[in-house]
Amino acid sequence: MRVVLAEDLYLLRDGLVRLLQAHGFEIVAAVESGPELLKALLDERPDVAVVDVRLPPTFTDEGLQAALAARRSIPGLPVLVLSQHVEQLYARELLADGSGGVGYLLKDRVFNAGQFVDAVRRVASGGTAMDPDVIARLLASNAGNEPLGRLTPREREVLELMAEGRSNAAIAQRLFLSESAVSKHTANIFAKLDLAASDDDNRRVLAVLAYLNGTRG
């Protein structure tokens, strides 16, 4: 699996390179600035990009803007964002087109190598890997959304776990429910959000996330 990595801090960048290589990933480019990232993504067309939001030269949103520009040229390019903070605008922009694998993890909440590697693989395969804090902020910012307000508290719990990229079996285990109960909650969520059901879990989650951010994708 080919990876382009963007991180301005040398020690963290080098550590991520070594970690991913140890788990069988091929690092085709490891860069430290927005312009370098965009060039690497367009030249290499990797299986997944792991991107810090704030990169040189201005340390504002170069990483995300480079990733978004690359996705316009390479529709569905999987992008996993690493950030120090929950930045809702960035998350909404990333999710807006509702296509391709997406992830948003907070650096200080990645507690072990397995968690991070699993997130990279999930995003590369077209799935989602969203930090619970990011999901909570997105849900809160759309609290006035009428269709979202139709959900029961349990359905919102299921939706949050879906957005993290969890399977129905994992959701059932987490909430101490049967898988059939989770399937019913999922069906209710789609009906209340006016979203067509799909057997493709990745597209299903992406559609829900796009809906929560004010677009159908």
Side-chain angles (χ1 to χ4, degrees):
M1 192 174 293
R2 302 170 70 253
V3 180
V4 165
L5 172 69
E7 167 60 52
D8 64 295
L9 297 177
Y10 169 75
L11 288 179
L12 180 54
R13 184 172 67 251
D14 186 62
L16 290 171
V17 167
R18 292 173 183 270
L19 171 62
L20 291 171
Q21 287 177 333
H23 284 82
F25 293 89
E26 178 187 357
I27 309 302
V28 295
V31 302
E32 61 179 347
S33 72
E36 289 177 307
L37 172 59
L38 179 56
K39 184 178 186 303
L41 292 175
L42 295 178
D43 289 349
E44 300 293 344
R45 296 180 176 254
D47 297 306
V48 61
V50 179
V51 178
D52 188 7
V53 170
R54 298 181 178 182
L55 295 174
T58 67
F59 294 97
T60 54
D61 60 357
E62 283 87 353
L64 185 79
Q65 292 304 326
L68 291 172
R71 278 169 69 97
R72 286 192 287 272
S73 296
I74 312 170
L77 172 70
V79 175
L80 173 60
V81 172
L82 288 174
S83 178
Q84 294 280 18
H85 310 285
V86 178
E87 303 182 71
Q88 295 180 43
L89 175 61
Y90 298 151
R92 285 196 297 270
E93 286 191 67
L94 181 64
L95 297 167
D97 65 7
S99 66
V102 291
Y104 195 118
L105 299 181
L106 299 179
K107 291 179 181 179
D108 61 357
R109 287 168 54 85
V110 177
F111 300 120
N112 58 67
Q115 176 191 4
F116 176 69
V117 169
D118 177 67
V120 176
R121 288 193 172 123
R122 190 185 308 155
V123 171
S125 67
T128 58
M130 305 294 290
D131 185 278
D133 277 4
V134 177
I135 295 304
R137 295 287 186 91
L138 294 177
L139 287 169
S141 68
N142 287 277
N145 182 300
E146 182 181 350
L148 189 61
R150 301 170 190 164
L151 302 183
T152 66
R154 177 62 84 185
E155 288 164 354
R156 288 174 68 93
E157 286 182 307
V158 172
L159 177 60
E160 290 182 32
L161 293 171
M162 285 169 57
E164 290 177 34
R166 298 179 186 272
S167 65
N168 279 4
I171 294 173
Q173 184 177 24
R174 180 73 171 268
L175 298 180
F176 302 102
L177 298 172
S178 66
E179 286 192 49
S180 61
V182 173
S183 295
K184 289 179 181 178
H185 285 309
T186 300
N188 288 340
I189 289 168
F190 278 107
K192 291 179 180 180
L193 297 185
D194 301 320
L195 294 169
S198 169
D199 292 331
D200 186 331
D201 288 339
N202 297 333
R203 290 188 179 184
R204 176 186 71 181
V205 175
L206 288 169
V208 172
L209 286 170
Y211 185 94
L212 294 178
N213 286 281
T215 176
R216 291 302 183 87

